[in-house]
Amino acid sequence: MSAERLQKILSRAGVASRRAAEQMILAGRVQVDGVTVTELGGKYEQADVRITVDGKPIQAAEQRVYFLLNKPKGYISSAHDERGRRTVLDLLPEVRERIYPIGRLDANTEGLLLLTNDGELMNGLLHPRYEVEKTYVARLTRLPGKEELNRLRTGVQLEDGLTAPAQVRVLEAEKGRVRVEMTIHEGRNRQVRRMFQAVGYDLKALKRTHFAGLTLHGVARGAHRTLTNEEILSLYEKAGLTK
Ligand code: URA
């Protein structure tokens, strides 16, 4: 862990948002090793100092954890479900940290889902500005024509507006076995299903095969693995952050 700005440490410890933490510092409510700090520039290693707010110690930083899950169908992508349905967290029972999925896959979509307790990385990867790429493989009952494929590529009008250009490629066009791969960088709700529906095709199945340069390689359906440091750094770059 490297030295970090005080407001960042406070927000990561769940004291307040970074903005609100800055206000707390400026208001003289934050102490480092017993000395009140009222400037925003100072950097500290949380492990090396004792930070208090209004005299009360802040929580120790929770270890950041990062997982890549191959989600099967039938699991919902929220952390809790009021109706008691199975959630993706049920697939990582050994994880003690409070993790959340980065974005969502529909219950009946399978494939690559990242989970973490790193809220900053999650927000960055989901922010439209960074245009993080996701690739899906859609199974269909019949092959879309050239015109429909081109409409998917250039943009389809959905209820919530025109979709951005997508990369679309036919992977398989056997009778009864049609698979089309689509890469998008937006992340609207049920976007891929809605795009195909808009050009006249219902999906038989949908799988996400790539997210932000990561693939499902080596991870069986229902299984997960931790990300390597290299992968985490690459995600940070893609999310416009530095670690
Ligand atoms: N698009 C969809 O339609 N569903 C998903 O789960 C993800 C993207």
Side-chain angles (χ1 to χ4, degrees), residues 44-78:
Y44 305 89
E45 296 238 13
Q46 190 179 349
D48 294 348
V49 288
R50 184 180 139 81
I51 299 172
T52 49
V53 174
D54 298 331
K56 289 195 208 111
I58 64 167
Q59 299 243 317
E62 189 175 60
Q63 169 93 23
R64 300 285 144 194
V65 291
Y66 307 84
F67 300 96
L68 185 158
L69 169 72
N70 186 349
K71 175 185 140 11
K73 288 202 291 189
Y75 288 81
I76 63 161
S77 300
S78 21

Side-chain angles (χ1 to χ4, degrees), residues 190-238:
R190 297 176 69 81
Q191 179 163 351
V192 177
R193 288 177 201 275
R194 290 195 292 135
M195 286 174 75
F196 276 97
Q197 270 160 10
V199 297
Y201 294 81
D202 279 328
L203 298 190
K204 265 173 75 176
L206 185 63
K207 178 175 187 169
R208 180 153 73 190
T209 56
H210 299 71
F211 182 93
L214 297 168
T215 76
L216 283 174
H217 186 76
V219 184
R221 185 180 288 139
H224 62 274
R225 68 169 177 87
T226 54
L227 296 187
T228 65
N229 280 338
E230 225 178 338
E231 288 169 334
I232 297 165
L233 284 175
S234 156
L235 290 178
Y236 259 75
E237 257 173 44
K238 292 199 162 85

